[in-house]
Structures are given as structure tokens and as C-alpha cells.
Amino acid sequence: MNGIINVKKEAGMTSHDVVFKLRKILQTKKIGHGGTLDPDVVGVLPIAVGKATRLVEYMQEEGKTYEGEITLGFSTTTEDASGEIVTETRLSEPLSEEVIDTAMQTFVGTIKQTPPMYSAVKVNGRKLYEYARAGEIIERPEREVTIDAFERTSPLFFQDGLLSFQFRVVCSKGTYIRTLSVDLGEKLGYASHMSALTRTSSAGMHLEDSLTLAEIAEKVAADDLSFLQPLELGIGDLKVLELTSEQEEEVRFGRFISLAVEDEQVAGFHEGKLIAILEKREAVYKPKKVFQ
């Protein structure tokens, strides 16, 4: 069984939980996911099965789209709605839409983020959430991420000193939307948190086409494997090159070939099928991963 599955991860499950359950449903061990989602977050979780697991690193590199809600007025330990309140800064009156929209635009581009304490980033061999659960706060390394779009998608809702609004963000791998929500609040002068989040696209897959684990289990029981999408969808942002029959044969034998490109890595196709991921070695390309 080889292919990619567009799973709709439900709230309360970790990405690892999804992989664990799918191994039972599909009766196969070779499964991996193409991008972690926090337990409270719903949405697209690309899953690689069989040979497709060798493409996970490329699936993770592709940009992602999220839709969610930000609430100004208090911050939490986890930067989302599941944490305990840390700081309260209730608003006496609502901000204007223009002020919020202008502040959001300042985050578009390449920015630096400090990962939240409740995250899986490793520091000195331990995950940050392990430090957080032990009550330890340590220095966290900054990371650069890219925000392609960050926009408000709803009117403002103001009640009891809290101001909420929905948003959409298109971003690179490694972006913490919780942290983006908190940083926006700081920019506006208020404590804030991410009050809801859904990942609507990842690795070229979209929420409207995703299936829950229950729906996948039903299809498997009916011997319907139509949910398995081809390996070719898992190449991420790699450039696609059509190989000649001669080049395809050379690649299958692991031989170096010459290509008229300069990219560090490319996806070599022949007649619509992914043949190999090719890696630049000086003036030629070496097969890094062969699939056919």
C-alpha cells in the first residue's frame, strides 16, 4: 500500500495518535505524517503510506493555510484557549478595524518567532513542553518564518472587555500561529491568545477534500482505497523535470545524469510517474531517492 492520505484531524488527538490509529485501520506499519498539528487544532494532516514516507520531508516544506480566531484581553500559558490565564488586559472599548488590519500587515514577510514553551521544539535534548510541565522556563532559540498573508476575515466582536475576530494566514513550515496571535496582541498593546484554529490546507491538500479516521475506516471495510492519492502529490515545492527514456533508465540504475537546471534538488518524472528525487553534485545530478 503506497500513497498519500488527506486526513481531517479532529480535536483532542495528537498527530501521533492519527498515525497509530491508521496503522491499525490500514494494517500496515510504514506510515508517517507530513506536519504536526497541536491536539486542539482541527484540520488537514497529510499522511504518507508505504513508499510515500520517503517524501515526508518534502511534504513538510510546502506552505500551509490556517483559519482561526484571536481574542484580545488575556493571555494563557499555552498561548491558546486550553491554557490557564496568565495576564488580563480587558479593553474599555473596542479597537477599530483599521488599527487591527494595519497591525496585522506588519507581520507579512520574513519575521522572527520565539517558539512557545508548550511546543515540541527540542532544547538540550528535551522538548519545551517537558520543561513547561516541570515548571521550568528556559531560553528558547528564535527562528525565522515567512508569512505570505495575514488578514482579518470577520467583523470585530466585543463583549465583557474581550475583543475577538477571525483571521486567515498563509505561512511557511515552522510557523507558530499561537505565537503570531500573541505577538499581534503585543503590537496592539494587549494580552491575547489564539482562541480557535483550523488548518485548511497543507502539502497541496485542502480541508474540503479531507476524510476523518472513521470515514477512512468505512472505506477500508468496503475495500475502497480511493482515498489513497498518488506519490506524485508529495513532492512539495520541488521543480518537476521530465526525464527521457534514456535518463530514466540511468536513474533506475543509480547513475549520475546531466540536467539543464541549477536547483539543488529536483523531482524526475517520466510519463506522469515520479521516478526519483535527484540531488545536484557539482555539474551533474545523482539519484537521492528512487521510487520506480
Side-chain angles (χ1 to χ4, degrees):
M1 187 178 289
N2 302 296
I4 298 169
I5 309 174
N6 183 1
V7 174
K8 180 180 182 181
K9 190 189 84 65
E10 297 171 277
M13 300 177 68
T14 65
S15 300
H16 178 74
D17 290 337
V18 173
V19 170
F20 178 78
K21 290 177 183 292
L22 271 176
R23 282 179 178 146
K24 289 189 171 183
I25 293 170
L26 302 179
Q27 309 249 309
T28 184
K29 291 182 179 179
K30 206 169 182 182
I31 298 180
H33 63 76
T36 304
L37 273 182
D38 290 338
D40 288 344
V41 179
V42 175
V44 174
L45 181 64
I47 294 289
V49 183
K51 288 182 181 179
T53 55
R54 301 173 69 201
L55 293 168
V56 164
E57 62 184 286
Y58 308 106
M59 292 164 62
Q60 291 176 338
E61 287 296 326
E62 203 163 353
K64 299 166 176 59
T65 304
Y66 295 87
E67 293 180 7
E69 181 185 71
I70 295 170
T71 297
L72 305 178
F74 68 88
S75 61
T76 72
T77 51
T78 57
E79 301 186 346
D80 61 18
S82 68
E84 298 175 4
I85 294 177
V86 175
T87 304
E88 286 196 66
T89 55
R90 302 272 171 160
L91 289 75
S92 57
E93 59 183 26
L95 300 175
S96 72
E97 292 183 345
E98 183 181 0
V99 165
I100 290 172
D101 294 346
T102 299
M104 292 176 81
Q105 285 308 300
T106 65
F107 290 90
V108 175
T110 300
I111 64 170
K112 290 185 177 180
Q113 284 192 325
T114 300
M117 280 301 300
Y118 280 88
S119 66
V121 173
K122 282 190 175 181
V123 176
N124 299 327
R126 290 176 65 193
K127 293 178 180 177
L128 284 176
Y129 67 73
E130 293 174 338
Y131 289 105
R133 288 171 182 169
E136 303 174 49
I137 295 179
I138 64 165
E139 190 172 336
R140 291 160 280 164
E142 278 190 332
R143 58 166 63 177
E144 278 196 349
V145 298
T146 302
I147 308 297
D148 294 309
F150 187 28
E151 57 193 8
R152 180 177 53 84
T153 57
S154 77
L156 306 180
F157 179 73
F158 182 69
Q159 185 174 20
D160 298 329
L162 301 178
L163 182 68
S164 300
F165 55 91
Q166 294 176 359
F167 68 91
R168 174 180 174 271
V169 62
V170 181
C171 57
S172 67
K173 161 194 171 183
T175 304
Y176 281 98
I177 311 302
R178 289 177 284 156
T179 301
L180 186 63
S181 303
V182 169
D183 290 347
L184 174 64
E186 288 182 4
K187 186 92 175 177
L188 294 165
Y190 294 92
S192 62
H193 66 282
M194 182 190 77
S195 40
L197 189 68
T198 298
R199 185 155 72 190
T200 56
S201 75
S202 179
M205 298 182 176
H206 303 281
L207 185 61
E208 57 267 27
D209 303 318
S210 62
L211 296 171
T212 64
L213 290 178
E215 290 171 330
I216 293 169
E218 283 181 16
K219 287 183 177 293
V220 170
D223 290 327
D224 176 5
L225 300 183
S226 60
F227 57 85
L228 266 180
Q229 301 188 46
L231 298 178
E232 287 71 24
L233 294 180
I235 61 169
D237 295 326
L238 290 179
K239 178 180 284 187
V240 174
L241 282 182
E242 182 67 21
L243 304 178
T244 64
S245 298
E246 293 77 13
Q247 288 173 328
E248 179 200 9
E249 186 173 354
E250 293 292 286
V251 166
R252 288 181 190 276
F253 283 107
R255 296 173 185 147
F256 288 61
I257 61 172
S258 296
L259 297 171
V261 292
E262 292 297 327
D263 303 67
E264 288 302 313
Q265 293 188 67
V266 296
F269 277 61
H270 185 68
E271 296 180 348
K273 292 292 182 182
L274 174 64
I275 304 302
I277 304 298
L278 301 156
E279 188 172 54
K280 196 172 192 300
R281 294 288 179 89
E282 297 181 355
V284 292
Y285 282 82
K286 177 185 186 300
K288 182 182 180 183
K289 299 181 181 184
V290 179
F291 294 91
Q292 299 292 335

